[in-house]
């Protein structure tokens, strides 16, 4: 962990449930959550696990719930109450980028992710940013090239993505 208001080195905050890479994260100020990922050291494939930390208390992660689909390299955005996870990659059946978007209510520990809508195309490697109203993803990879188009959702309104603009 780091204290944002002061200069200094990071210190150990806690450990994840499992050692995953390629996850996506959201935070509402009370809970910091990570979703999906890949566990290459255990030889497993993509994960659907959502785990959380209590931000004000150093400690290990706890199981929150599950995504609607196991994946890695997904993007995330959030407002004060909802975390939204988009697209990603899965090679569990046939290697492919995905267009899945699902969401959680961050205060609802134990509540599995629910379908939000669809991403405009099958993508992975998304970068996301958000305000209290809108989440925007950009720089996704379609499997053959990186996209220069940004897409958005209104976080409290279930929908598919809409074009935000070009990079």
């Amino acid at each position: 962990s780091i204290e944002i208001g002061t200069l200094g080195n990071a210190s150990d905050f806690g450990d994840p449930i499992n050692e995953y890479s390629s996850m996506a994260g959201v935070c509402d100020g009370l809970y910091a959550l990570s979703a999906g990922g890949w566990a290459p050291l255990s030889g497993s494939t993509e994960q659907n696990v959502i785990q959380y930390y209590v931000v004000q208390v150093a400690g290990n992660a706890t199981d929150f719930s599950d995504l609607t689909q196991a994946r890695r390299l997904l993007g995330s955005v959030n407002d004060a109450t909802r975390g939204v996870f988009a697209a990603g990659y899965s090679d569990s059946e046939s290697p492919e980028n995905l267009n899945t978007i699902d969401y959680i209510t961050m205060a609802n520990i134990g509540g599995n992710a629910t379908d939000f809508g669809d991403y405009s195309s099958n993508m992975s490697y998304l970068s996301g940013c958000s305000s209290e109203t809108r989440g925007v993803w950009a720089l996704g990879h379609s499997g053959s090239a990186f996209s220069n188009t940004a897409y958005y959702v209104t976080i409290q309104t279930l929908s598919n993505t809409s074009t935000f603009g070009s990079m």
Side-chain angles (χ1 to χ4, degrees):
S1 70
I2 58 170
E3 179 64 40
I4 293 175
T6 63
L7 299 176
N9 295 326
S11 60
D12 185 15
F13 186 85
D15 296 322
I17 295 170
N18 292 303
E19 294 183 12
Y20 300 146
S21 66
S22 307
M23 301 177 291
V26 295
C27 184
D28 67 356
L30 179 59
Y31 300 118
L33 299 96
S34 62
W38 182 50
L41 297 178
S42 67
S44 66
T45 59
E46 287 74 25
Q47 303 297 307
N48 69 345
V49 173
I50 302 172
Q51 53 190 331
Y52 75 97
Y53 298 88
V54 178
V55 173
Q56 300 299 321
V57 181
N60 295 334
T62 303
D63 185 38
F64 183 90
S65 65
D66 294 329
L67 292 168
T68 61
Q69 186 174 21
R71 58 199 195 268
R72 61 180 156 153
L73 304 169
L74 60 164
S76 58
V77 296
N78 67 276
D79 64 10
T81 59
R82 185 177 276 183
V84 183
F85 304 98
Y89 178 84
S90 175
D91 59 18
S92 59
E93 293 178 23
S94 61
E96 67 177 334
N97 289 319
L98 306 169
N99 72 342
T100 302
I101 305 175
D102 47 16
Y103 76 97
I104 52 150
T105 301
M106 290 184 274
N108 187 15
I109 296 171
N112 285 333
T114 304
D115 182 49
F116 186 93
D118 292 329
Y119 201 79
S120 64
S121 59
N122 293 15
M123 290 279 173
S124 59
Y125 292 98
L126 295 177
S127 293
C129 61
S130 49
S131 69
E132 286 301 312
T133 305
R134 185 178 277 183
V136 179
W137 292 286
L139 300 174
H141 192 269
S142 66
S144 60
F146 282 96
S147 170
N148 70 343
T149 304
Y151 297 93
Y152 78 93
V153 293
T154 301
I155 295 172
Q156 289 297 319
T157 305
L158 304 181
S159 68
N160 298 331
T161 55
S162 298
T163 302
F164 186 78
S166 296
M167 305 281 290

